[in-house]
């Protein structure tokens, strides 16, 4: 099943270092991780002849720290790469961080504010230097936290989206897109954040329902008047038209005329436009081209002027009594002035409507006409869609592909300029006579009087969109690029399918001659609390994974996250589940420690099947089945299923049954014991390999102790040998049935788990005779003496177990207890039966109520049968 000749430098092949009685993660994890890094296990060799397997880390923000979402995603990626490394692939997990333009600039500006200065006091060059200083001192704490989690990344290849190589890649692709007329500069409506003082893209806007007001305002006089409704009365100062539908008979006489705009003294035209919905509101809309994207389009169609009436801080700039007011102050003042002028026809408060907010600072977004840089996404998005449609890229799970197509098939041009100082500065220079020059990375920018560079920087997603190939040395033709591009798989959350994944698809196909950046996009869900609620500091349910790692160990956190990882589905997690995973790690520790103390070994070949007991053959057969199951689940990214499969095999079969059955064999000694020691060693060896990608620390410590070899990180991944033994599996299943049924009976009779009772086992006609000693040990059954009297007899799976309980329980007290339970069950049956026989009740009661009563009736009937059998089995007094 496995092949590995590695030998640990500090230990011989038969050396089994003594393990402490208890597993203490804090004593193990840090030193193991440093050893892995020092020995270079995670580094990738571009010159090896091995088949490559590449995954990039979704680059966390340099301002960030490890949260449960990171821990979840990193656990999945680490498990995939660890397994592939064990399978013999040249594995690269590419690490790095994103410069996070707006977020990082905000952090440093807050630090400056504590000193009483602003970025403008420092100037651009000094401010950027200050950000680099902050990055060196405080940024990137997540790297240390990734080590705590056990991330097997190639640290010697760590990249940053603002480092020299990636900056060159950004300049190169900007120049290429510009020369291909896929980047252009234009004045359009953008999403403007008055707090961050920058444009943000559509996907960086979060919409939520806010309480606002809807006011209906009468423009014009008499028959030449028209009523419009708005939630943003302050923008009326910038109105340059009123629009109606061309077929709306109510306003046909006004089309082409002018009416007076209240409070301003200006006259504006009434235009006909099919964009207007005559069924909505009054069927007439105010048109403010400089402050609304739909109005901008109407303005373009009708040649309307665009009047900007707010500055970058969302303060009114229009001349008049409202100049200098904040937008919200102006809204109230303008409505008051209109009311005083008799222009308000109707007011509705509160009026709940969807409002866009900046995803970073939560400030209400202001649509604003602005000169910005744009990517013409049409041909790029089509290529990104075609790559999935023609099968070059697969989206997993498949039902997520629709969301992808809905996005890329309807993309608007991408606003890529940001009014920030931290980021990749747009490589365009303007000359004194209107010249515009785009400069590539190896070109000399124009100089001389009047020449200056564009002051804006690029959207952070522009540089992170290059991540799969810029991190490998592009635009140079490097060995790493040839070896590791395209990536094998991208593992990321469905929440950034649009932010990041679509950008990488567009840029990868464009820059790499039609080769997509990855073969598979594996999407996962979001981590939520145990009640399915989104984790948030404001909700009080956010968890710092480092706290759980400190308390329960990194393996426990990883295993809990993996057990919840169904593709594309959100992951609930609670502390109780982490505790259970810690208990699992302890169980693995204790079972392996028992095995080592009893001579379990991996040395030599496995004995031939005919020399093995049924229990040995059973566990080896089950082991191979689990190897095949786990492989299939990995290929389908079914982490919850593979984790559950390993958990139940390890705990329910290896620990609870095979280890317990082995105790009797070891006690008897001889050739059978030697064979079982080798089988137990094999089972633990393979099981620890299978578990290692998900729980790397405890498995590494145990496997090196068991095998005396160097490291699980570079061990071979187990293979299904094909060995199956259906007969042995059936035989042990029968043993389990007998033991389980007798244990249930003992519990029903109130016997303590360790309480011994005399018993006689009739196993004739079954294959169970060879297991009698083991079954007696598992069931705490003493041999039957000369004075044995059977007070209870249990027929199970062809065998009969007779027990003498006369001295073990208080028969009368047990009879009274069972009689009381029986009476309660019979009463419940009578009540439910009466209701179900009542036709009037059945005619009126809802279906779910009837079903619930039927369920109670079935439960009562089962309880009656069970308790009656227990009473019959009691000794007769």
């Amino acid at each position: 099943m496995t092949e590995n000749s590695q030998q640990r430098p500090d230990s011989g092949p038969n050396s089994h270092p003594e393990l402490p009685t208890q597993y203490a993660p804090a004593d193990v994890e840090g030193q193991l991780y440093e050893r892995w890094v020092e020995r270079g296990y995670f580094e990738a060799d571009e010159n090896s002849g091995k088949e490559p397997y590449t995954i990039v880390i979704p680059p966390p923000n340099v301002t960030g720290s490890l949260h449960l979402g990171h821990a979840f995603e990193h656990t999945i990626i680490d498990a995939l790469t660890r397994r592939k490394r064990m399978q013999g692939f040249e594995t690269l997990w590419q690490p790095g961080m994103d410069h996070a333009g707006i977020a990082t600039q905000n952090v440093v500006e807050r630090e400056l504010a504590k000193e009483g200065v602003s970025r403008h006091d420092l100037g651009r060059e000094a401010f950027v230097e200050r950000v680099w200083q902050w990055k060196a001192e405080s940024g990137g704490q997540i790297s240390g936290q990734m080590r705590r989690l056990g991330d097997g990344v190639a640290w010697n290849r760590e990249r940053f989206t603002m480092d020299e190589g990636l900056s060159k890649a950004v300049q190169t692709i900007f120049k290429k897109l510009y020369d291909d007329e896929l980047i252009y500069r234009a004045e359009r409506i953008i999403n403007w954040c008055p707090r961050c003082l920058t444009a943000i893209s559509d996907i960086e806007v979060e919409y939520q329902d806010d309480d606002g007001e809807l006011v209906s305002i009468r423009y014009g006089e008499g028959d030449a008047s028209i009523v419009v409704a708005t939630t943003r009365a302050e923008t009326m100062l910038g109105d340059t038209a009123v629009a109606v539908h061309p077929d709306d008979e109510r306003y046909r006489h006004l089309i082409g005329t002018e009416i007076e705009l209240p409070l301003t003294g200006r006259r504006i035209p009434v235009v006909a436009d099919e964009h207007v919905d005559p069924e909505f509101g009054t069927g007439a809309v105010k048109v403010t081209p400089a402050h609304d994207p739909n109005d901008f389009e109407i303005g373009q169609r009708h040649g309307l002027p665009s009047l900007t009436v707010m500055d970058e801080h969302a303060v009114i700039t229009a001349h008049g009594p409202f100049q200098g007011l904040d937008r919200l102050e102006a809204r109230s003042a303008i409505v008051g002035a209109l009311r005083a002028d008799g222009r308000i026809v109707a007011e509705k408060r509160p009026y709940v409507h969807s409002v866009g907010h900046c995803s970073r600072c939560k400030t209400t977004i202001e649509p604003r006409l602005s000169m910005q840089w744009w990517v013409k996404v049409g041909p790029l998005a089509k290529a990104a869609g075609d790559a999935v449609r023609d099968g070059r890229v697969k989206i997993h799970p498949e039902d997520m592909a629709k969301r992808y197509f809905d996005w890329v098939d309807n993309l608007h041009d991408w606003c890529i300029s940001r009014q920030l100082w931290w980021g990749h500065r747009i490589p365009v220079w303007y000359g004194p006579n209107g010249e515009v020059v785009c400069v590539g990375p190896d070109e000399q920018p124009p100089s001389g009087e009047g020449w200056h560079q564009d002051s804006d920087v690029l959207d952070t997603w522009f540089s992170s969109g290059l991540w799969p190939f810029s991190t490998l040395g592009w635009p140079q033709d490097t060995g790493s690029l040839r070896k590791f591009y395209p990536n094998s798989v991208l593992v990321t959350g469905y929440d950034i399918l649009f932010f990041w994944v679509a950008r990488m698809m567009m840029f990868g196909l464009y820059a790499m001659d039609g080769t997509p950046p990855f073969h598979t996009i594996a999407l996962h869900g979001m981590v939520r609390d145990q009640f399915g609620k989104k984790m948030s500091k404001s909700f009080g349910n956010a968890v710092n994974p480092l706290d759980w790692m400190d308390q329960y160990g990194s393996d426990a956190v990883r295993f809990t996250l993996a057990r919840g990882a169904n593709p594309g589905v959100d992951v609930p997690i609670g502390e109780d589940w982490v505790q259970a995973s810690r208990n699992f790690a302890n169980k693995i520790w204790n079972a392996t420690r028992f095995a080592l103390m009893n001579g379990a070994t991996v040395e030599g070949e496995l004995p031939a099947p005919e020399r093995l007991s049924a229990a040995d053959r059973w566990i080896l057969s089950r082991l191979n089945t689990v190897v095949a199951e786990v492989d299939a689940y990995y290929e389908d990214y079914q982490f919850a299923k593979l984790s559950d499969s390993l958990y139940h095999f390890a705990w329910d079969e290896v620990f609870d049954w095979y280890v317990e059955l082995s105790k009797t064999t070891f006690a008897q000694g001889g050739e059978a014991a030697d064979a079982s020691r080798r089988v137990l060693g094999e089972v633990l060896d393979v099981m620890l390999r299978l578990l290692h990608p998900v729980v790397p620390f405890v498995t590494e410590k145990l496997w090196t102790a068991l095998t005396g070899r160097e490291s699980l990180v570079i061990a071979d991944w187990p293979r299904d040998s094909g060995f199956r033994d259906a007969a042995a599996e059936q035989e042990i299943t029968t043993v389990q049935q007998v033991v389980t049924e007798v244990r249930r009976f003992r519990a029903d009779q109130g016997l303590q788990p360790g309480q011994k009772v005399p018993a006689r086992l009739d196993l004739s006609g079954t294959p169970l005779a060879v297991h009698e000693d083991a079954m007696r040990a598992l069931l705490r059954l003493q041999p039957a003496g000369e004075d044995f009297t059977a007070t209870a007899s249990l027929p199970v799976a062809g065998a009969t177990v007779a027990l003498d309980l006369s001295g073990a329980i208080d028969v009368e007290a047990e009879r009274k207890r069972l009689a009381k339970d029986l009476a309660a069950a019979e009463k419940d049956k009578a009540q439910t039966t009466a209701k179900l026989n009542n036709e009037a009740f059945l005619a009126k009661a809802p279906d779910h109520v009837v079903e619930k009563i039927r369920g109670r009736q079935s439960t009562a009937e089962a309880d009656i049968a069970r308790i009656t059998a227990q009473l019959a089995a009691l000794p007769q007094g």
Side-chain angles (χ1 to χ4, degrees), residues 198-316:
T198 183
I200 63 174
S201 65
D202 291 343
I203 53 179
E204 294 169 301
V205 178
E206 293 178 348
Y207 288 90
Q208 66 184 49
D209 288 341
D210 287 357
D211 287 344
E213 60 182 356
L214 180 68
V215 293
S216 298
I217 310 166
R218 178 171 52 83
Y219 288 14
E221 302 292 344
D223 290 340
S225 67
I226 197 164
V227 176
V228 299
T230 181
T231 59
R232 304 175 68 231
E234 69 278 8
T235 64
M236 68 164 290
L237 301 176
D239 285 0
T240 57
V242 171
V244 298
H245 194 275
D247 298 331
D248 195 332
E249 292 293 339
R250 293 172 295 175
Y251 305 117
R252 187 178 290 256
H253 67 290
L254 293 176
I255 296 171
T257 67
E258 290 188 342
I259 58 176
E260 184 174 334
L261 179 65
L263 306 181
T264 68
R266 286 193 290 114
R267 295 187 68 78
I268 58 176
V270 177
V271 300
D273 195 281
E274 293 189 352
H275 169 76
V276 180
D277 180 1
E279 303 298 323
F280 182 76
T282 64
V285 296
K286 58 192 287 298
V287 181
T288 320
H291 293 279
D292 183 274
N294 293 321
D295 293 3
F296 177 78
E297 297 297 332
I298 293 175
Q300 292 288 296
R301 287 193 288 271
H302 297 276
L304 301 174
S306 296
L307 300 182
T308 299
V309 295
M310 272 182 270
D311 67 10
E312 60 186 8
H313 297 280
V315 171
I316 300 298

Side-chain angles (χ1 to χ4, degrees), residues 39 90 181 188 196 279 547 551 675 698 781:
R39 293 181 178 175
E90 191 62 52
E181 298 183 350
R188 291 186 178 179
C196 298
E279 303 298 323
D547 293 340
Q551 191 167 1
V698 67
L781 301 180

Side-chain angles (χ1 to χ4, degrees), residues 722-735:
F723 176 77
R724 301 290 191 279
D725 193 323
E729 290 195 35
Q730 182 56 53
E731 185 172 325
I732 300 303
T733 296
T734 305
V735 171

Side-chain angles (χ1 to χ4, degrees), residues 96 105 182 244 537 608 840:
Q105 179 155 320
L182 293 173
V244 298
K537 290 181 181 178

Side-chain angles (χ1 to χ4, degrees), residues 40 72 100 111 123 192 203 222 237 247 267 345 490 524-525 639 644 676 817:
F72 171 58
E111 293 297 314
W192 181 264
I203 53 179
L237 301 176
D247 298 331
R267 295 187 68 78
V345 176
L490 173 73
H524 60 72
F639 285 89
D644 254 7
S676 289
R817 182 184 71 81

